[in-house]
Amino acid sequence: MNNIQPSLEIDVAGIRMKNPVMTASGTFGYGSEYVDFIDLNKLGAVVVKGITSVPWAGNSMPRIFETPSGMLNAIGLQNVGVDGFIDKKLPYLRNFDVPVIVNICGEQVGEYLEVTEKLDAADGVAAIELNISCPNLHCGGMSFGVDPKLTDELVKGVRGKTTLPLLVKLSPNVTDITVIARAAEGAGADGLSVINTALGMAIDINTRRPQLANVTGGLSGPAIKPIALRMVWQVYNAVSIPIIGMGGIMNGEDAIEFCIAGAAAVAVGTANFINPRASLDVVEGITEYLERHGMRSIEKLVGSLEVP
Amino acid sequence: MNNIQPSLEIDVAGIRMKNPVMTASGTFGYGSEYVDFIDLNKLGAVVVKGITSVPWAGNSMPRIFETPSGMLNAIGLQNVGVDGFIDKKLPYLRNFDVPVIVNICGEQVGEYLEVTEKLDAADGVAAIELNISCPNLHCGGMSFGVDPKLTDELVKGVRGKTTLPLLVKLSPNVTDITVIARAAEGAGADGLSVINTALGMAIDINTRRPQLANVTGGLSGPAIKPIALRMVWQVYNAVSIPIIGMGGIMNGEDAIEFCIAGAAAVAVGTANFINPRASLDVVEGITEYLERHGMRSIEKLVGSLEVP
Amino acid sequence: MLVPTKKFDLPTEVISNELVAENHYLLRCSCPEIAAGALPGQFIHVLIPQGSGLLLRRPFTIYTVEGDEITMLYQLIGEGTNVLSSLKRSDSIRVLGPLGNTFEISPAPDPAVIVGGGAGIASLMLLAAALRENGAHALGLVGSMNSARLLSVEDLEAIGIETYIATDDGSVGHHGFVTELLMEILETHEMKNPQIYACGPDGMLRVVTKIALDYRIPAQLAMENRMGCALGVCLGCVCKVRMPSGGFEYQRVCTEGPVFNAEDIIW
Amino acid sequence: MLVPTKKFDLPTEVISNELVAENHYLLRCSCPEIAAGALPGQFIHVLIPQGSGLLLRRPFTIYTVEGDEITMLYQLIGEGTNVLSSLKRSDSIRVLGPLGNTFEISPAPDPAVIVGGGAGIASLMLLAAALRENGAHALGLVGSMNSARLLSVEDLEAIGIETYIATDDGSVGHHGFVTELLMEILETHEMKNPQIYACGPDGMLRVVTKIALDYRIPAQLAMENRMGCALGVCLGCVCKVRMPSGGFEYQRVCTEGPVFNAEDIIW
Ligand SMILES: Cc1cc2nc3c(=O)[nH]c(=O)nc-3n(C[C@H](O)[C@H](O)[C@H](O)COP(=O)(O)OP(=O)(O)OC[C@H]3O[C@@H](n4cnc5c(N)ncnc54)[C@H](O)[C@@H]3O)c2cc1C
Ligand SMILES: Cc1cc2nc3c(=O)[nH]c(=O)nc-3n(C[C@H](O)[C@H](O)[C@H](O)COP(=O)(O)OP(=O)(O)OC[C@H]3O[C@@H](n4cnc5c(N)ncnc54)[C@H](O)[C@@H]3O)c2cc1C
Ligand SMILES: Cc1cc2nc3c(=O)[nH]c(=O)nc-3n(C[C@H](O)[C@H](O)[C@H](O)COP(=O)(O)O)c2cc1C
Ligand SMILES: Cc1cc2nc3c(=O)[nH]c(=O)nc-3n(C[C@H](O)[C@H](O)[C@H](O)COP(=O)(O)O)c2cc1C
Ligand code: FES
Ligand code: FES
């Protein structure tokens, strides 16, 4: 123990944050839903639900299912659309002194570009997170995030439309995540979000129907943490842009694991559903760890894994 | 309820079994370790620990780590080698009336072929399970199971060396498991084992070292069940050879889920560590389910998922 | 009916947790902030204690409010309610609430016909109390599998609500569905400004909706669905709601609901 | 030292589960079949009750055997032992055992020097009892962080074993490591056919090994490691063992161990 007061402030991919803890897209709404529990100003960044060019209705029900230490979701990107977001959701977030990162999605490259242009012109967007990995969509039968060429094309396109920091969110459902990571880096991404949900499924044995109307869905929560950590470490060793680590982070200790594996920042997802204060608890947990280990900042921790 | 006594007997990939429940390779030793708890004659089949051409020492410690609803392992295929297996382990198993399936592995195609030839000539081997998916080995930097061409080559090679039923065990660490599944089918596999462990990792935040000496390891147990089920269903829709489903099966209900997704038989792995009777409990659970639903056999259940 | 109540996530202790009917328990705990704001139909999202192995919380309607204390009346369904039922006095739980919207009760219905199937009646108890406080005339219709599982009849009668019973096996009251009882009562009672309030299994709610439409009586349903966050962010709990425009929208049971107009629900 | 004991996986109930020292508990349960076969050094693999959220069992040495009952003495380490410590009389657990090999005690050591660090002493209690039954001369060396965490001294003395204490903070006995005590005793005592039996943290066992080699005294160590199956199949619990041939082999703590000759272990 000693008296160094660690500073959690960091700059990740050009986004200046008070601490390295974000909320994961789709698990924190548009921020307003959590103000009874959290001072948004204390977060590193708020990442909002995936936005598309026009409002999407989403998938039919059931949409979620609990699995051992995890949950499956197939929401189908129900969202208000980029115009609705800018008109109805963004103004509220401008009341806070916290970077707002907008997660965007689409079925065609053109849709991504349209959303990007509108967000680039809007006031109060700190960065764009490109979701090329939503497991509940079928962009020509396969999502962008599993093909390095499609990734390159899409990221280059979006890069051309904005000067905002650009994060690219990678899918775990690939043979070699470093290939996609390098494609995104090469195409101009400023940072990588690792990982989105793993594709999974569950069945009701009495009705013999899938537990999700969409049949398959994205697995999140502690169950996928080992997979997420492995991928963060792989990507860390493959690229030189910063990584936002996520997948099953429930507390500060989980977050520290991601940092040691190579994450410059982390995002808290499913944990928000179980504990609405989870993201701030993670901030506090990280602070305590740094204090306990006499570290002034988190930077020395990033990628500090000692391999035997 | 009614009085039909279901028959669990099946023929999977040319292996005649009393019931569709096997033990998963690496989780049941060579069978003898469980005789205090289980009458081996009551199992569908015993699948033994992966065998290589020469004895392997295995990885250094630590080799296992518990994760939320799962465990990581990086054993590194410690085994007695094919000669040791045939001389010291197989004779004991010949005392039982249960098919013995031998899981085999290697770093080079040649090693697989050598092991296959010896097993083909041995007495008491019911089938070979080709492990092309061990996450703790590095065959030229990448395991066979993530590349359809390597899969084709290896399976064809092994196929040429034996007339025994040939199962090919697939890795979940791929973008599209159906590509590998079709490659294995095309090359002459009689059945597919789906899935091996998912590649994961965990870190000790106090020492900043990996929890496994091998850094990464294979994730098994209930945590991966949703991923395994999804892959069984995908493979079921892609090939016409039978599937042995596995990944997180703890009880009869889990097994039934795999059958509905498309598995003709199942294997019980990590559950053996928690409950040494797990495999027989699964047999009983399946029987009860069939009785409760008035089904005479499991065949009608296989792939019976009703997609909305 | 959308009410932006301030929400709290409170650690608290179980005061009591008793078997009140076969397979059904009543759990009491002290949550002053939630008790102060709770409206009829609102619910809490309960964190099953650490180490239970369950990830997500479980939602339950606030059954009664007495001073600082709230109760929930719950049925054993699966692992979560099983662990809940094992909790004893002074065991810790966390309670998030009050959540969701509330029933519309003005202009005062005459009568209010409250229809509860199984544990569904739990969602209607605070409503019944509020109606009585407002001096509204209310009838209670309680459906159950059998007499051993019958819930809330005494609680309803204690606040002066005329209560009718239907059981699937006829062990008490009408032999058959509570919806049959509903039809009978609509046929036999004089009604000035009737309103139906219902909660129960989906099958029952569909029949209630049909009856309400047939008789042109407005009906409000307390809906249930699997829940993730219960805060409106995961979009996991939606139901399909008819829009005035003619289209539909997926609305969140945890936020736009749990109370919906029966005619708006697309099943 | 390999003993093929018949193994049982038994459901049983907690008889008692008491705090016996700061951070340490003694759990008692009835397992006739295991009690009948248990040998010194053997262990059980305990299934933490359903719903605890933990997947794997946890291994603990059999501390004592009394009729049909066995006890285990355990330290609070993480979640598993935390859940264990919350168990009360008549709570259910499952116990797999007896597992592993046993200590070599013939020809009778003179004296047997038993060295336990922290909860490690738990692995040596049945051994101590067996030595006394055989009439062997045994000394007990017990190391602990401080007096509050001191374990087993009374139990050892009750069976007539001369016991020496070392604490890290000097609050009782020798101020320092139990290995220092070991050296002192080897220097000051007359020894005809000495044998060291040790269990404790890795660091301690390495020093014990060095001392044993220096003094050319045979030593047996009860090793610990993370365990999966405890039945010899997962190969997760291995330690590195020197082979007579000159090479090494990874041997299973659960099967070839937990007791190994100190000189064979490659750290
Ligand atoms: C707003 C709201 C209020 C509720 N209020 C009450 C209440 O006051 N009293 C009460 O007893 N219950 C109430 N419920 C239902 C209650 O939440 C579930 O019964 C509970 O979550 C089951 O948890 P479990 O872990 O025991 O079962 P699980 O293991 O989660 O589920 C077991 C099985 O039941 C199914 N199931 C899960 N939830 C429901 C559901 N809501 N309806 C039907 N089947 C379901 C699952 O799909 C699964 O097949 C309410 C639900 C909602 C959404
Ligand atoms: C053959 C054998 C016999 C044992 N006998 C006893 C006994 O009689 N009394 C007793 O108190 N303990 C004994 N142990 C150790 C005991 O098994 C562990 O302390 C226990 O499993 C910890 O479980 P947990 O869930 O509380 O901690 P976990 O959450 O599993 O572990 C918490 C932390 O402690 C580490 N850890 C886990 N196991 C050990 C270990 N064996 N040694 C050091 N660190 C560990 C983990 O890596 C982790 O970092 C024995 C172990 C073995 C292998
Ligand atoms: C209900 C739900 C909705 C999600 N929606 C989105 C989304 O719109 N866009 C996106 O990129 N990721 C989405 N995700 C993925 C999360 O942002 C995160 O990557 C993933 O859940 C892993 O983190 P976790 O385990 O902490 O939840 C969603 C996850 C959940 C559980
Ligand atoms: C400790 C351990 C060792 C394993 N060894 C092998 C092996 O040698 N060969 C193989 O094909 N699979 C091996 N597996 C994978 C299992 O056979 C199985 O495919 C996987 O664990 C998923 O099933 P489960 O979740 O039921 O354990 C091993 C798994 C574990 C946990
Ligand atoms: S439960 Fe998450 S939106 Fe309703
Ligand atoms: S714990 Fe599995 S081999 Fe020892």
Side-chain angles (χ1 to χ4, degrees):
Chain A
M1 291 286 172
N2 60 45
N3 291 323
I4 299 171
Q5 174 62 29
S7 154
L8 292 191
E9 266 189 70
I10 50 156
D11 182 306
V12 172
I15 313 160
R16 188 90 219 139
M17 307 197 293
K18 293 188 196 104
N19 62 61
V21 183
M22 313 181 171
T23 59
S25 176
T27 67
F28 205 71
Y30 303 102
S32 58
E33 296 88 339
Y34 277 84
V35 292
D36 282 347
F37 311 100
I38 278 192
D39 177 356
L40 300 186
N41 290 324
K42 293 194 172 160
L43 288 171
V46 169
V47 183
V48 300
K49 173 75 189 161
I51 301 291
T52 51
S53 60
V54 292
W56 285 13
N59 292 332
S60 45
M61 303 91 63
R63 289 179 170 186
I64 57 173
F65 186 70
E66 182 166 340
T67 65
S69 299
M71 66 175 281
L72 289 166
N73 89 78
I75 306 304
L77 264 169
Q78 175 172 349
N79 80 95
V80 294
V82 64
D83 297 332
F85 171 72
I86 292 172
D87 292 353
K88 291 185 215 128
K89 305 293 179 182
L90 199 50
Y92 178 80
L93 283 167
R94 280 198 290 261
N95 295 324
F96 298 90
D97 174 28
V98 64
V100 174
I101 300 175
V102 185
N103 181 277
I104 70 172
C105 201
E107 281 174 320
Q108 312 289 334
V109 176
E111 295 170 43
Y112 279 98
L113 301 187
E114 188 194 329
V115 177
T116 304
E117 280 179 328
K118 288 183 174 169
L119 290 173
D120 188 67
D123 182 22
V125 176
I128 287 174
E129 181 178 58
L130 203 60
N131 179 0
I132 60 168
S133 49
C134 183
N136 302 320
L137 291 175
H138 307 280
C139 314
M142 196 206 260
S143 70
F144 292 101
V146 300
D147 181 323
K149 270 193 60 186
L150 292 179
T151 299
D152 173 78
E153 205 180 294
L154 179 63
V155 175
K156 277 199 180 124
V158 170
R159 177 75 292 172
K161 295 291 181 192
T162 184
T163 54
L164 288 171
L166 181 60
L167 306 175
V168 175
K169 186 156 176 182
L170 304 184
S171 167
N173 307 304
V174 294
T175 304
D176 186 353
I177 195 167
T178 65
V179 173
I180 313 294
R182 277 197 226 97
E185 181 182 38
D190 298 305
L192 300 172
S193 299
V194 181
I195 58 173
N196 210 316
T197 53
L199 198 59
M201 172 171 171
I203 294 171
D204 181 332
I205 62 171
N206 291 314
T207 62
R208 286 194 243 161
R209 291 166 168 276
Q211 291 281 14
L212 299 175
N214 191 51
V215 186
T216 61
L219 183 64
S220 65
I224 64 166
K225 198 184 83 171
I227 298 174
L229 266 175
R230 183 259 297 182
M231 292 191 154
V232 166
W233 187 68
Q234 289 180 317
V235 172
Y236 180 75
N237 288 302
V239 301
S240 48
I241 50 178
I243 297 163
I244 294 101
M246 69 196 79
I249 295 178
M250 303 299 281
N251 52 46
E253 298 180 356
D254 293 335
I256 295 291
E257 270 193 88
F258 276 86
C259 294
I260 295 172
V266 296
V268 177
T270 303
N272 294 309
F273 305 164
I274 294 127
N275 168 15
R277 271 196 100 258
S279 47
L280 289 192
D281 285 354
V282 169
V283 176
E284 285 159 24
I286 292 175
T287 309
E288 275 162 33
Y289 177 91
L290 295 180
E291 277 171 6
R292 196 161 4 106
H293 289 78
M295 295 180 159
R296 274 170 203 284
S297 80
I298 206 164
E299 270 141 53
K300 268 181 51 189
L301 214 56
V302 176
S304 65
L305 184 73
E306 283 178 34
V307 174
Chain B
M1 293 285 170
N2 60 46
N3 291 324
I4 301 170
Q5 175 63 26
S7 153
L8 292 191
E9 266 190 68
I10 49 156
D11 183 305
V12 172
I15 313 160
R16 188 94 219 136
M17 308 197 291
K18 295 190 196 104
N19 62 62
V21 182
M22 311 181 174
T23 59
S25 175
T27 66
F28 205 72
Y30 303 103
S32 58
E33 296 87 341
Y34 277 84
V35 292
D36 282 346
F37 311 101
I38 278 191
D39 178 356
L40 300 185
N41 290 324
K42 292 195 172 159
L43 288 172
V46 169
V47 183
V48 300
K49 173 73 188 163
I51 301 291
T52 51
S53 60
V54 292
W56 284 12
N59 292 331
S60 46
M61 304 92 65
R63 289 180 170 187
I64 57 173
F65 186 70
E66 181 166 342
T67 65
S69 298
M71 66 176 280
L72 289 166
N73 88 78
I75 307 304
L77 264 169
Q78 176 173 350
N79 81 95
V80 293
V82 63
D83 296 332
F85 171 71
I86 292 173
D87 292 351
K88 291 185 212 126
K89 305 294 179 182
L90 199 49
Y92 180 80
L93 284 165
R94 280 198 292 262
N95 296 323
F96 297 90
D97 174 29
V98 64
V100 173
I101 300 176
V102 184
N103 181 277
I104 70 172
C105 200
E107 282 176 320
Q108 311 289 333
V109 175
E111 295 171 41
Y112 278 97
L113 301 188
E114 187 193 329
V115 177
T116 305
E117 280 181 327
K118 288 183 173 170
L119 291 172
D120 188 67
D123 181 22
V125 175
I128 287 174
E129 181 178 59
L130 202 61
N131 179 0
I132 58 168
S133 49
C134 183
N136 301 321
L137 291 176
H138 307 280
C139 315
M142 197 205 261
S143 70
F144 292 101
V146 301
D147 181 323
K149 269 193 61 187
L150 292 178
T151 300
D152 174 77
E153 205 179 296
L154 180 62
V155 176
K156 276 199 182 125
V158 171
R159 176 76 292 171
K161 296 289 181 193
T162 183
T163 54
L164 287 171
L166 181 60
L167 306 175
V168 175
K169 185 154 176 183
L170 304 184
S171 167
N173 306 305
V174 294
T175 305
D176 186 353
I177 195 167
T178 64
V179 173
I180 313 293
R182 277 197 224 96
E185 181 183 38
D190 298 306
L192 299 172
S193 298
V194 181
I195 58 175
N196 210 316
T197 53
L199 198 59
M201 174 172 169
I203 294 171
D204 181 332
I205 61 171
N206 291 314
T207 62
R208 288 193 242 161
R209 289 165 167 276
Q211 293 280 14
L212 299 175
N214 191 52
V215 186
T216 60
L219 183 64
S220 64
I224 65 166
K225 197 184 86 174
I227 297 173
L229 266 175
R230 182 260 296 182
M231 291 192 155
V232 166
W233 187 67
Q234 288 179 318
V235 172
Y236 179 77
N237 288 303
V239 301
S240 47
I241 50 177
I243 296 163
I244 294 102
M246 70 196 78
I249 295 179
M250 303 298 281
N251 52 45
E253 298 181 356
D254 292 336
I256 295 291
E257 271 191 88
F258 276 86
C259 294
I260 295 172
V266 296
V268 177
T270 302
N272 294 309
F273 304 164
I274 295 127
N275 169 14
R277 272 196 99 261
S279 46
L280 288 192
D281 285 355
V282 169
V283 176
E284 284 159 24
I286 292 175
T287 308
E288 275 163 32
Y289 178 91
L290 295 180
E291 278 171 7
R292 197 162 3 108
H293 289 78
M295 294 179 160
R296 272 172 204 283
S297 81
I298 206 164
E299 270 142 50
K300 268 179 54 187
L301 214 55
V302 176
S304 65
L305 185 73
E306 285 179 33
V307 174
Chain C
M1 292 181 288
L2 202 58
V3 270
T5 343
K6 179 153 168 64
K7 296 163 190 151
F8 300 89
D9 181 28
L10 305 173
T12 184
E13 284 182 3
V14 173
I15 294 173
S16 64
N17 189 24
E18 288 159 22
L19 188 76
V20 291
E22 188 184 285
N23 221 37
H24 290 81
Y25 288 77
L26 184 73
L27 186 149
R28 177 180 301 271
C29 59
S30 172
C31 301
E33 295 87 342
I34 294 174
L39 298 169
Q42 286 193 310
F43 65 100
I44 51 179
H45 210 30
V46 180
L47 185 63
I48 316 284
Q50 286 273 322
S52 73
L54 291 170
L55 189 66
L56 299 175
R57 294 182 180 226
R58 297 292 189 268
F60 301 94
T61 305
I62 302 168
Y63 182 62
T64 62
V65 175
E66 290 159 52
D68 285 350
E69 296 174 9
I70 60 172
T71 65
M72 49 180 267
L73 176 64
Y74 63 98
Q75 181 182 6
L76 287 192
I77 292 280
E79 211 183 316
T81 47
N82 187 36
V83 175
L84 265 185
S85 72
S86 73
L87 297 182
K88 299 185 186 70
R89 186 182 172 84
S90 78
D91 282 344
S92 309
I93 52 172
R94 273 194 95 88
V95 176
L96 175 68
L99 303 168
N101 69 351
T102 185
F103 295 98
E104 188 64 71
I105 57 170
S106 69
D110 184 12
V113 187
I114 292 171
V115 192
I121 192 68
S123 298
L124 303 166
M125 194 68 211
L126 273 188
L127 167 74
L131 287 165
R132 291 301 297 151
E133 265 174 38
N134 291 9
H137 177 207
L139 303 173
L141 278 55
V142 180
S144 164
M145 240 166 89
N146 55 43
S147 61
R149 300 202 169 200
L150 195 64
L151 298 172
S152 306
V153 174
E154 285 161 33
D155 294 341
L156 287 167
E157 286 176 345
I159 56 169
I161 290 182
E162 204 180 315
T163 305
Y164 301 80
I165 299 168
T167 52
D168 296 354
D169 68 351
S171 49
V172 55
H174 172 76
H175 186 168
F177 294 136
V178 69
T179 45
E180 292 159 13
L181 211 53
L182 172 62
M183 290 238 304
E184 200 182 300
I185 279 175
L186 295 180
E187 290 290 349
T188 54
H189 282 59
E190 194 70 33
M191 310 237 159
K192 285 194 204 128
N193 175 29
Q195 264 278 358
I196 297 172
Y197 299 95
C199 183
D202 282 2
M204 176 197 125
L205 294 184
R206 293 167 85 143
V207 178
V208 168
T209 303
K210 188 171 177 325
I211 294 171
L213 293 174
D214 287 354
Y215 284 80
R216 295 168 190 269
I217 298 175
Q220 295 170 41
L221 309 181
M223 301 286 287
E224 294 187 358
N225 201 347
R226 290 179 197 155
M227 289 201 171
C229 62
L231 292 171
V233 304
C234 75
L235 305 175
C237 67
V238 296
C239 61
K240 203 168 182 174
V241 176
R242 213 178 309 277
M243 289 287 97
S245 62
F248 75 89
E249 195 176 88
Y250 288 115
Q251 291 192 352
R252 298 163 295 185
V253 170
C254 71
T255 306
E256 282 83 35
V259 182
F260 292 90
N261 287 321
E263 58 187 350
D264 295 341
I265 300 293
I266 305 174
W267 289 96
Chain D
M1 294 181 289
L2 203 58
V3 269
T5 342
K6 178 151 168 68
K7 296 163 190 152
F8 300 88
D9 180 28
L10 305 172
T12 184
E13 285 182 2
V14 173
I15 294 172
S16 64
N17 189 22
E18 287 159 20
L19 189 75
V20 291
E22 188 185 285
N23 220 38
H24 291 80
Y25 289 76
L26 184 75
L27 186 148
R28 177 180 301 271
C29 59
S30 173
C31 301
E33 295 87 341
I34 294 175
L39 299 170
Q42 286 195 311
F43 65 101
I44 51 179
H45 210 29
V46 180
L47 185 63
I48 316 284
Q50 287 272 322
S52 73
L54 291 171
L55 189 65
L56 299 175
R57 293 182 180 225
R58 298 292 189 268
F60 300 93
T61 304
I62 302 168
Y63 182 62
T64 62
V65 176
E66 292 159 50
D68 284 351
E69 296 175 8
I70 60 172
T71 64
M72 49 181 266
L73 176 65
Y74 62 98
Q75 180 181 6
L76 286 192
I77 292 280
E79 212 182 316
T81 47
N82 187 36
V83 176
L84 266 185
S85 72
S86 72
L87 297 183
K88 299 184 188 69
R89 186 182 172 84
S90 77
D91 282 344
S92 308
I93 52 171
R94 274 194 95 87
V95 175
L96 176 68
L99 303 168
N101 69 351
T102 186
F103 294 97
E104 188 65 71
I105 57 169
S106 69
D110 183 14
V113 187
I114 292 172
V115 191
I121 192 68
S123 299
L124 303 167
M125 194 67 211
L126 273 189
L127 167 73
L131 287 165
R132 292 299 298 151
E133 266 174 39
N134 291 7
H137 179 209
L139 303 172
L141 279 54
V142 180
S144 164
M145 240 166 89
N146 54 43
S147 61
R149 299 201 169 199
L150 194 63
L151 298 172
S152 306
V153 174
E154 286 161 34
D155 293 341
L156 287 167
E157 288 177 344
I159 57 169
I161 290 182
E162 204 180 316
T163 304
Y164 301 80
I165 298 168
T167 53
D168 297 353
D169 67 352
S171 48
V172 55
H174 171 76
H175 186 169
F177 294 137
V178 70
T179 46
E180 293 160 12
L181 211 53
L182 173 61
M183 290 235 306
E184 200 181 301
I185 280 175
L186 295 181
E187 291 289 348
T188 55
H189 281 60
E190 193 71 31
M191 310 234 159
K192 284 193 208 133
N193 176 28
Q195 264 278 358
I196 297 172
Y197 299 95
C199 183
D202 282 2
M204 176 196 124
L205 294 185
R206 293 166 85 143
V207 177
V208 169
T209 303
K210 189 171 176 324
I211 295 172
L213 292 174
D214 287 353
Y215 285 78
R216 295 169 189 268
I217 298 175
Q220 295 171 41
L221 309 180
M223 301 285 287
E224 295 189 357
N225 200 349
R226 291 180 194 154
M227 289 202 172
C229 63
L231 292 171
V233 304
C234 75
L235 304 177
C237 67
V238 296
C239 61
K240 204 168 182 174
V241 175
R242 213 178 309 276
M243 288 287 96
S245 62
F248 74 88
E249 195 177 88
Y250 288 115
Q251 292 192 351
R252 297 162 296 183
V253 171
C254 71
T255 305
E256 282 83 34
V259 182
F260 292 89
N261 286 322
E263 57 185 353
D264 295 342
I265 299 294
I266 305 175
W267 288 96

